[in-house]
Amino acid sequence: MSEIGLRERKRQRMFQELSDIAIRLFLERGFDAVPVAEVAAAAEVSKPTLFRYFPAKEDLVLYRIADHEGEAARIVAGADVPPLDALRRHFLDGLRRYDPVTGLNDAPEVLAFHSLLYGTPSLAARVMAYQERSEAALAEVLGGDLDARLAAAQIVAVQRVLALENWRRIAAGERAVALRAEAEAAAERAFGRLEAGLPGLRAVGPALGADRK
């Protein structure tokens, strides 16, 4: 392995270790009760070192879902089917895998993380910013014009509401296995309504506005 490759692997391990240690402390005592200095001490690094990896305290938590930022845009860009077909299929596949990002996962550690994420105002605000960036990336793939931005906003909102509804019901005590069929049906209905409301969403890029020509 090259020196650059080894250095990058070490860097990625440090990101993961710092995030894992921080989340463990935040889950034990609450996000606001744990100072960044304590996270650095637990990880055996200096506070300036920690801030080189994570400029803001909230970033320590958001790192766990960072891979999903721009996911919708990547799916659409790499698909050989219309955008909504690709996104529908991806979301349904996520439900069948009990992917935590769909909200359909009742593992205790996942429920605890979601409670931390949505129950902490500063983290919830950062999640909204994360979703706005995902929306912007999707809009760019769909063509970048006003219609593309409107479509992306609706798609991201539908995915967010579906995931939050699944998480809400599981947090109230329902089991993921028992809820899956309803969650799949709800996703099918939601994407069906998106297709009805976005008839121009037939292909990626400039073809988005083809029906208006």
Side-chain angles (χ1 to χ4, degrees):
M1 179 178 293
S2 69
E3 183 179 347
I4 294 176
L6 180 59
R7 189 160 59 240
E8 180 59 24
R9 285 187 62 183
K10 288 182 176 179
R11 181 171 174 272
Q12 291 303 318
R13 279 201 299 271
M14 179 61 78
F15 272 111
Q16 190 66 58
E17 289 172 7
L18 290 172
S19 177
D20 287 347
I21 289 168
I23 289 171
R24 174 176 55 80
L25 292 172
F26 297 153
L27 289 175
E28 288 173 356
R29 292 171 33 217
F31 181 81
D32 295 326
V34 180
V36 171
E38 186 174 339
V39 176
E44 299 182 343
V45 299
S46 68
K47 189 174 175 181
T49 295
L50 186 147
F51 277 127
R52 281 202 298 272
Y53 285 89
F54 294 101
K57 184 180 178 182
E58 289 80 6
D59 294 333
L60 287 157
V61 179
L62 272 294
Y63 179 76
R64 184 165 288 186
I65 61 173
D67 286 348
H68 293 289
E69 185 175 318
E71 186 172 62
R74 292 192 297 270
I75 290 163
V76 169
D80 55 1
V81 295
L84 284 176
D85 287 346
L87 293 169
R88 179 207 302 262
R89 181 172 61 195
H90 181 76
F91 195 86
L92 289 170
D93 285 346
L95 291 173
R96 291 163 190 146
R97 296 193 314 271
Y98 300 103
D99 188 333
V101 78
T102 67
L104 191 68
N105 188 302
D106 54 16
E109 62 272 18
V110 172
L111 284 173
F113 177 76
H114 282 163
S115 294
L116 172 69
L117 195 61
Y118 297 117
T120 306
S122 61
L123 290 175
R126 291 297 292 271
V127 170
M128 290 300 296
Y130 155 93
Q131 290 172 338
E132 288 173 0
R133 292 192 297 272
S134 294
E135 180 184 309
L138 178 58
E140 187 64 28
V141 171
L142 292 174
D145 61 4
L146 177 59
D147 283 353
R149 295 196 299 275
L150 290 170
Q154 293 176 68
I155 292 166
V156 170
V158 162
Q159 293 178 322
R160 176 179 60 84
V161 170
L162 288 170
L164 285 174
E165 176 64 9
N166 292 337
W167 173 72
R168 182 191 66 79
R169 292 182 63 174
I170 287 177
E174 296 189 54
R175 297 300 307 275
V177 171
L179 181 57
R180 197 184 88 177
E182 284 188 59
E184 290 179 5
E188 291 281 14
R189 288 197 308 276
F191 276 94
R193 289 170 182 169
L194 278 174
E195 288 187 340
L198 300 170
L201 208 60
R202 302 300 184 191
V204 179
L208 178 61
D211 289 352
R212 301 193 306 275
K213 295 180 180 179

